Amino acid sequence: TFFLHFRGLASLKPPSSLFAPLDTFSERHIGPDDAETSKMLSQLGYESIEAFVADTVPPKVRVSTHSVNNKSIPSFSESQLHARAKELAGLNKPFKSYIGMGYHCAVVPPVILRNVMENPAWYTPYTPYQPEIAQGRLESLVNFQTMVASLTAMDIANASLLDEATAAAEGMVMSSVSAPKKKTFVVDSGVAPQTIAVLHTRAKGFGIRVVIGDASSVLEDPKIRSDICGVLVQYPDVNGNIKDFSPLAQATHTLGALVICATDLLSLTKIKAPGEWGADVVVGNSARFGVPAGYGGPHAAFFAVTDRLKRKMPGRLIGRSRDTQGNPAYRLSLQTREQHIRREKATSNICTSQALLANMAAMYAVYHGPAGLKRIATKVHKFTQVFKAAVESIGYKALNGTFFDTLTLDVSALGSAEALHAQAAAAGINLRRIDDNHVGVSFDESVSPHDLVNLLNVFTTYASAKAFKLSDLSEPEFTVIPPELRRTSEYLPHPVFNKHHSETEMLRYIHHLAGKDLSLVHSMIPLGSCTMKLNSTSSMIPLTWPEFSSVHPFAPYDQVKGYLQMIKELEDDLCRITGFHAASLQPNSGAAGEYTGLCVIRAYHESRGESHRDVCLIPLSAHGTNPASATMAGLKVVSVKVHNDGNLDLEDLRAKAEKYKDNLAAFMITYPSTFGVFEAGVLDACQIIHDNGGQVYLDGANLNAQIGLTNPATCGGDVCHMNLHKTFAIPHGGGGPGVGPICVAEHLAPFLPSHPAMPVRGEQSIEAVSAAPFGSASINLISWAYIKMLGGQGLVDSSKMALLNANYMANRLQGHYNLRYKNENGRVAHELLIDLAEFDKAAGLKVTDFAKRLQDYGFHPPTCSWPIQTCMLIEPTESETLEELDRFCDAMIEIRKEAGDIIYGKQPKDNNLLKNAPHTISAIASSEWNRPYTREQAAYPLPWLRERKFWPTVSRIDDAYGDLNLICDCPSVEELAQH
Amino acid sequence: TFFLHFRGLASLKPPSSLFAPLDTFSERHIGPDDAETSKMLSQLGYESIEAFVADTVPPKVRVSTHSVNNKSIPSFSESQLHARAKELAGLNKPFKSYIGMGYHCAVVPPVILRNVMENPAWYTPYTPYQPEIAQGRLESLVNFQTMVASLTAMDIANASLLDEATAAAEGMVMSSVSAPKKKTFVVDSGVAPQTIAVLHTRAKGFGIRVVIGDASSVLEDPKIRSDICGVLVQYPDVNGNIKDFSPLAQATHTLGALVICATDLLSLTKIKAPGEWGADVVVGNSARFGVPAGYGGPHAAFFAVTDRLKRKMPGRLIGRSRDTQGNPAYRLSLQTREQHIRREKATSNICTSQALLANMAAMYAVYHGPAGLKRIATKVHKFTQVFKAAVESIGYKALNGTFFDTLTLDVSALGSAEALHAQAAAAGINLRRIDDNHVGVSFDESVSPHDLVNLLNVFTTYASAKAFKLSDLSEPEFTVIPPELRRTSEYLPHPVFNKHHSETEMLRYIHHLAGKDLSLVHSMIPLGSCTMKLNSTSSMIPLTWPEFSSVHPFAPYDQVKGYLQMIKELEDDLCRITGFHAASLQPNSGAAGEYTGLCVIRAYHESRGESHRDVCLIPLSAHGTNPASATMAGLKVVSVKVHNDGNLDLEDLRAKAEKYKDNLAAFMITYPSTFGVFEAGVLDACQIIHDNGGQVYLDGANLNAQIGLTNPATCGGDVCHMNLHKTFAIPHGGGGPGVGPICVAEHLAPFLPSHPAMPVRGEQSIEAVSAAPFGSASINLISWAYIKMLGGQGLVDSSKMALLNANYMANRLQGHYNLRYKNENGRVAHELLIDLAEFDKAAGLKVTDFAKRLQDYGFHPPTCSWPIQTCMLIEPTESETLEELDRFCDAMIEIRKEAGDIIYGKQPKDNNLLKNAPHTISAIASSEWNRPYTREQAAYPLPWLRERKFWPTVSRIDDAYGDLNLICDCPSVEELAQH
Ligand SMILES: Cc1ncc(COP(=O)(O)O)c(C=O)c1O
Ligand SMILES: Cc1ncc(COP(=O)(O)O)c(C=O)c1O
Ligand SMILES: O=C([O-])O
């Protein structure tokens, strides 16, 4: 009969026992099957995978298999995982939350839930660095920017930040940078406590003094006045009050300081926009626009500024430029602002942000339109009014005069707040805990009339008053918002927000945009340093179960036992994998993890009376976030050289470590290195640092190469972050969400971040680094599921296969391209770096030309011009099959031939397949064709492209034009009419 | 500020009360908003929608609003519906089922669940009658055909039938047609009872005598032998036994009769295929290949035959042909076999089948591959063996010698079966009820070791034996399948079944195919008589909740209270809408509904001693399923003429009714007519029939034009079917599933179908027409949700808007095209018929040329050449916006101009934009271009196509070539190697 192929290294044979499950995840996760694996091994000259690994990972850093195996991490089949996730879901209690504080129970329009959030075409693409194959999500992100700018009445907004608290911190730093001599930042007492906690942490690194109090009064304090760089207010504030901040804004500006305003987008349909009363920076959380609470995230924060601040704005900014055909085209603008370029001069390290969630929020606005949003806001506001009137009628006292959706109630006349909370809990309701005399109540779109009555009757029962029926409640006739605070200006007049209001149209818009974007549903995305692997459906499914998606991040611990169990299991497994002692899931991205880890290191030094240690050594080859994070943590960056062979210059390291040994705080190293090499010298390097009093921060972006083979602890690190959105299969979401937890050695554990809503960490903890106690808690489910389903063996197999796939590609490509680095056995790690400098020299062909031409072959280009300007960094991951690797290599080799034709003069240097790439259908369909190659050569250079081709929707984009003519919102009625 | 547009006729104003929900479904469902509605009305010269409707629907048949309104059918908002569905889900009890009888708890691979079943790109397309924009699902359906043919070892299989029982009935009829003189059909006693019930019903119409018994013995009965046309066996049989049917097959063939075999695909990986022991026809249910049980459906049945029977095979058949460029291309083959062509000469009326479910099953086979399927089958088989050994060790007796997954146990030594069932129920387990001494147990892929132990311990407890632990059970060393019954031949060697086994590859394959197909996610699909409206996400979501998806159709009624409540509500609402008295949800398609309705009419006549009434009058304009259904119900079809203005020739009707009055059984009429006209004469027509002793069957395919305006009862009907997949928003699934319930007047209610597993209907009921008591129960949730969310007002508004949209289009198109029919006020109904005969006369341009050219404009063509050869029938539905209607009309008008150029000789008659349509990218990208128009004219005839275009993936397909060179399976290794 025929030969059976089984997938995955651990399962070369059929399951050993009748009672073993058949739906083993590793068989589906790992791309190559046993036959393909053998073929690759023999091509590389190995008899076994073990022999191959032995040549690839330096023996010095190898770990024994006891830490990561099927005993320490037992494997669940896909259906077992599903059952286990259901079990955990059952441990979370579905309370109705009125806690507010910036988190709401969002109503996700079903068409967006299913077609964006649950659609791999939206959740698997990469950050849109290749705009020609990313116009869909770029357009949507511009919708997000436009929505934010229009609702806040600011000039320009970015394409999302991690959360409101870190956005506020970015605002604070911006104000400090704008007034470098001033060191005081004023925070109004109406700002949410989690924001204040994050500001405290962040202020430290920048030497900023945070003063909390009534902002107007503080501004009058003569001792402080002259030192103020900025003021942060919250509008409406955390207690529900809406104040007229115009006088404060004027006063602040008189001092030459910036006004930062944290706000709520929904309220801005009803109240005067911050841009209309003088705010310079407006930040907030867009989650109530259709993004589930998820016990804290993920969701997209926003950041909007006045025109004059735009070039200082952190984060990614999408602009409209034009392509070589003169058609409008979206792209990432002003990249020179980003830490990739500015490195230690950067004051923000934001890299992965929250694209998917920004897109969901934008789609929510597209679906509801300005009128729909106003309708929702009006309902929420009126429910709040109805509630206030009702509770006041039975003896409670609301402290709010002007409010939108949130009230602070004085309950002291009727008893203690705690007893009222108990009463609410009995009804399955959470109120905000303020103090013994006060509770907070906050309304959102999800509150039904039935919910309102239930809520009210917690208060009536408690007050021994008569229960309310719905018919007792009547619609308020007037708004409590005074005329001078009302919104009168127009918002969201752009056609895109006024068109797609039927579900059919919305569905088509969502799919139309998705159709422009290349994602993992099309072909491999071999991005070095990004680990674009399979994001399995099984791991995605539990995310949108209400037991996980509708949990408020400040819900009492006894309601979130399922979450806490999952978090504990994930932390334990991450510790097993890294070899460390304790973990924190709070950081919302890799860069946030770096920053957190460095803050922990600083706290450690401080605890030993060594707070002066402030030098951070960083190799020149490091990712731009490393120096940026160090700067944010208040460290001085000293660069360390790198050898031509890709390895760290140990002599330079030693020299600098010794030079700075009195002040040495940390060393940051990436392993395998950003060049894709397992350096054997890592142990020595770490020893040098330790000998000189420093701590070692290991950037775990490349952890996928390590699991069960080596680990950060064994390599000599003290702390590392992991990008769960790389190694642990959280999808990239087109540029976020991400999760960047850190793991630390035992001596650093006491310093892991705490949180105002998380009373568990010890006294030495640093303050919060994120707005929510467990960061983007809900998507941790994905990594939890990934680890549980692979189990120890599957995890190790995955790392081995990631190495094998990369080495196979290196082997195929090295005859054709200059493979920059390999170890003494000729092996690369999980990625490979090829240098294209020769083509530039010979024919002026740049990395970009190769990258754009790869688009014509239906592939997402690898990471370009990083870590070396003239290089491409290629990372296949374990999830790609040999067939797909070969397709990619074939494409690269064919492009090499095309380049040869240019070098040898068969094709002109300025008009050829590479320089003109990518080719759109529109270009191909043009009657005029004065190119020195055929349409077929442009479109179908290899035969399989006839069946399987992804078409870029715009031609190459003019970057300079875009940066010069910065346009960051979507077309207006007038502009569209012109077209 | 700005003007707020609200959507939907009922909601021109913001919600009246603060406590009214905001997520009103009709606002999302109905395309045009108030401004667009006004614009359309004024274009047609009306001040109000009421005035428009008054001119459109004949006053004589108008109903008052009291039957369908917000009182009789209150409306639920989307979130209220969600909550209500959750409530009903909670009423279904999640029992683990071992009932078997052809229904299993399937394990749906998550990647297929989310990317096929929950993906609108797969569930919203239409039947692939336009193959150039349907290559994706055509390829997948060929995978289905190949999978069936290969596993059954038959020559050819079709692209699905409704369920196993009706597939067996089709086999019976085929055998009877093949031996027209013979009238006896032998059914082996191992055949499932629901199949036998359906055979009884079907046999009646064809005058076939069904004899049940041990087939071999019956064949030897000299009184019967000579009259036998066919034999049906089940293999493995319903009791779990596997017999060697080769001798029976030989004996049957000796008699010149056909062997029909009902089988189970999974078992065929272990046992000899029916094609290998002589079966002529093989039928079955493919649901255990990853299709949820759904309380009975939907799922895809299959039908495979030997080569010599292929042209007699019922149902749709996909073949590989070639396009005008010579590339391979899939298409519907041998359409002349279908009832559309054969009408009353057809012996099958199958039209809508089960494409989506066939595709899911095919994808399951693609994902698991032959080795994976065998692994699953082996596990299921061995679990059965383990179970048998264990229960036999404690005193139960299994009656099976050779078995695959099902056992019949004699429990009499230990007590009564009923008590054992009670014991099982206490453990949340269902066993098959057989009789007082026997129970059945059937295993499937979903049974975990833990489940097995639980099941066993029902038996131990009952036998007062010691409980089993998993460790007590050991893997059987031998199979019980004797060598001569084992499968030894290869299956599924085709590359497609041996490639896509990693989730990444599978995901890409699914999306690659979806990318070839035009669906509602792209643009309107204006198919007359098909009502391609919005299939909302809210109505789809509950379908895949386990409380609905994992229910066995024969589960005891007290476990399915949620389902029964939903079914009752839906039946009640359908009765309200049609004006009838009672409903049956059993028929699985419109055509099945027709057949059922006619059977009910026959039973009614019979009950009055008038079984001789056997003449059925049918207008010439009727849909092909009407005459076919009549023939199947044993009626003689007499055609009735139609006037040139589209109306029924009442004189001809009267003449024929009177002529046949002694034998007149029924009259079938479609309303509005298939020409898209509300005939005022319908009342008179029905009166004529009633006066002559006949009953009126109203084909409800066009019910979307009627709701709340008129209804089938008011029009004079006695029974009607509804296509829930048209009017009531079940998505078309690319050619099914469908649901075709019937509603009947009070006097017909006693005759509605019963079912062996449904003890509720009365004594006069006809026997089952489907294998499951409530047909495709799970998808009824969609129509239930649709009706509940729209509520009475929304339903009526939808019908009005469907009429308005159609009349607006008629108005725009009539200056350019010959609009065939309108009423005396110039109004069409919900669809319009344009006649293209003039273009054929002037320039040889056929309907097809216009249709294919529409593809170039990104639209799915309307219904072509039906009901009139030279026409297109255009139906917009209420869900399309004015903008989309205009886009379509613009395209039609532009094509009219292109046709003008051909007529006036500016373009040659044989080489022009229409004849060469559709244009693929490949054709456009060709260097050679010797066409008398530009590439741009071919690809982008209107400006918006630059942004929004759907590309056909093959050129026009050669139909004749395909029918001549019939190839209905997917490419083999060798064929692919040639390419
Ligand atoms: C080596 C390295 N370090 C850090 C980061 C930053 O991670 P994040 O984008 O999650 O902030 C990246 C991201 O690509 C990286 O490649
Ligand atoms: C008028 C008419 N009657 C009956 C049918 C048959 O319905 P079904 O395809 O659901 O079997 C159709 C289907 O298109 C139809 O248009
Ligand atoms: O986002 C990256 O820096 O790759």
Side-chain angles (χ1 to χ4, degrees), chain A residues 351-352 529-530 589-591 594 623 625-626 670 674 699 701 721 723 725-726 866:
Chain A
C351 179
T352 289
S529 208
C530 292
S589 71
E594 295 168 19
H623 193 258
T625 51
N626 291 7
T670 306
T674 57
D699 180 326
H721 80 260
N723 304 67
H725 46 299
K726 299 180 177 178
W866 188 83

Side-chain angles (χ1 to χ4, degrees), chain A residues 1-2 4-7 14-22 25 27-31 78 86 110-111 113-115 117-121 123 139 367-368 370-371 375-376 378-379 382-383 386 449 452 470 473-476 488-491 499-505 507-508 511-512 516 520-525 534-538 540-541 544 546 879-881 883-884 921-922 924-928 934-936 939-940 946-948 951, chain B residues 1-2 4-7 14-22 25 27-31 78 86 110-111 113-115 117-121 123 139 367-368 370-371 375-376 378-379 382-383 386 449 452 470 473-476 488 490-491 499-505 507-508 511-512 516 520-525 534-538 540-541 544 546 879-881 883-884 921-922 924-928 934-936 939-940 946-948 951:
Chain A
T1 69
F2 45 92
L4 312 187
H5 287 306
F6 289 94
R7 204 156 292 273
S16 46
S17 141
L18 173 59
F19 299 120
L22 296 185
F25 178 62
E27 283 198 39
R28 302 302 188 179
H29 174 70
I30 294 177
E78 294 193 53
K86 272 272 170 234
V111 65
L113 176 73
R114 185 163 272 191
N115 295 285
M117 192 172 185
E118 298 182 343
N119 182 354
Y123 64 69
E139 175 169 332
Y367 196 40
H368 287 299
R375 209 160 70 152
I376 292 166
T378 304
K379 176 182 161 183
K382 288 193 175 170
F383 268 51
V386 170
L452 175 61
L470 191 57
L473 307 175
S474 59
E475 183 163 354
T488 53
S489 59
E490 194 187 39
Y491 47 89
K499 256 174 89 73
H500 310 289
H501 297 174
S502 79
E503 184 173 340
T504 303
E505 284 297 321
L507 180 72
R508 287 181 192 154
H511 282 263
H512 178 62
K516 298 181 173 200
L520 284 180
V521 312
H522 299 105
S523 50
M524 77 188 292
I525 303 186
L534 168 63
N535 316 120
S536 75
T537 316
S538 281
M540 292 296 294
I541 283 178
T544 41
S879 291
E880 298 300 339
T881 59
E883 186 173 337
E884 186 71 356
I921 304 180
S922 222
I924 298 281
S926 167
S927 291
E928 266 175 73
T934 66
R935 292 178 168 86
E936 287 91 340
Y940 304 114
R946 293 267 174 193
E947 172 66 18
R948 192 171 163 185
W951 286 94
Chain B
T1 68
F2 46 93
L4 313 187
H5 286 305
F6 289 93
R7 204 156 291 275
S16 46
S17 143
L18 172 59
F19 300 119
L22 296 185
F25 179 62
E27 282 197 39
R28 301 301 188 179
H29 174 70
I30 294 178
E78 294 192 54
K86 272 271 169 233
V111 65
L113 176 73
R114 186 164 270 189
N115 295 285
M117 192 173 186
E118 299 182 344
N119 182 354
Y123 64 68
E139 176 170 331
Y367 195 40
H368 286 299
R375 207 158 71 148
I376 293 167
T378 304
K379 177 184 161 179
K382 288 193 175 170
F383 268 52
V386 170
L452 175 62
L470 191 57
L473 308 176
S474 60
E475 182 163 353
T488 54
E490 193 186 38
Y491 48 89
K499 255 174 89 72
H500 310 289
H501 297 173
S502 78
E503 184 173 341
T504 303
E505 284 297 319
L507 180 72
R508 288 182 193 153
H511 281 264
H512 178 62
K516 297 180 173 200
L520 284 179
V521 312
H522 299 104
S523 51
M524 77 187 292
I525 303 186
L534 169 63
N535 316 120
S536 74
T537 316
S538 282
M540 293 295 293
I541 284 177
T544 40
S879 293
E880 297 299 339
T881 58
E883 186 173 336
E884 186 71 358
I921 303 179
S922 220
I924 299 281
S926 168
S927 291
E928 266 175 72
T934 65
R935 290 178 170 86
E936 288 92 340
Y940 303 114
R946 293 269 174 189
E947 172 66 17
R948 192 170 162 184
W951 286 94

Side-chain angles (χ1 to χ4, degrees), chain A residues 317-381:
Chain A
L317 178 67
I318 318 298
R320 269 192 282 155
S321 181
R322 60 183 188 197
D323 71 1
T324 50
Q325 318 276 308
N327 294 316
Y330 296 104
R331 59 179 272 282
L332 284 165
S333 294
L334 302 190
Q335 290 194 54
T336 46
R337 288 160 32 261
E338 297 185 22
Q339 79 293 331
H340 299 287
I341 305 294
R342 295 176 47 81
R343 302 185 69 88
E344 66 270 18
K345 290 192 202 71
T347 51
S348 166
N349 65 351
I350 180 88
C351 179
T352 289
S353 54
Q354 301 277 13
L356 183 68
L357 303 313
N359 285 330
M360 284 183 70
M363 288 295 182
Y364 177 96
V366 166
Y367 196 40
H368 287 299
L373 292 178
K374 179 162 220 152
R375 209 160 70 152
I376 292 166
T378 304
K379 176 182 161 183
V380 169
H381 180 52

Side-chain angles (χ1 to χ4, degrees), chain B residues 96-98 379 383 442-449 451-452:
Chain B
K96 182 86 202 148
S97 166
Y98 298 89
K379 177 184 161 179
F383 268 52
S442 192
F443 288 84
D444 62 40
E445 187 190 357
S446 76
V447 179
S448 70
D451 294 329
L452 175 62

Side-chain angles (χ1 to χ4, degrees), chain B residues 126 349 351-352 529-530 589-592 594 623 625-626 670 674 699 701-702 721 723 725-726 866:
Chain B
Y126 181 62
N349 65 350
C351 180
T352 290
S529 209
C530 292
S589 70
E594 294 169 17
H623 194 257
T625 51
N626 290 6
T670 306
T674 56
D699 180 327
N702 292 342
H721 80 260
N723 304 66
H725 47 300
K726 299 180 178 179
W866 186 84

Side-chain angles (χ1 to χ4, degrees), chain B residues 238-320:
Chain B
V238 70
N239 302 312
N241 297 313
I242 302 173
K243 286 192 213 144
D244 183 352
F245 285 126
S246 330
L248 177 71
Q250 272 187 332
T252 306
H253 289 154
T254 315
L255 298 177
L258 296 183
V259 178
I260 327 288
C261 171
T263 191
D264 168 63
L265 291 178
L266 190 64
S267 72
L268 299 185
T269 64
K270 306 290 288 181
I271 64 176
K272 201 169 181 177
E276 296 173 328
W277 53 250
D280 301 286
V281 177
V282 182
V283 301
N285 168 353
S286 65
R288 81 190 300 174
F289 279 24
V291 178
Y295 193 39
H299 56 254
F302 57 84
F303 194 96
V305 296
T306 55
D307 192 67
R308 101 188 143 83
L309 293 171
K310 68 183 177 217
R311 279 163 209 272
K312 290 191 181 143
M313 189 162 51
R316 293 185 179 125
L317 179 67
I318 318 298
R320 270 191 283 154

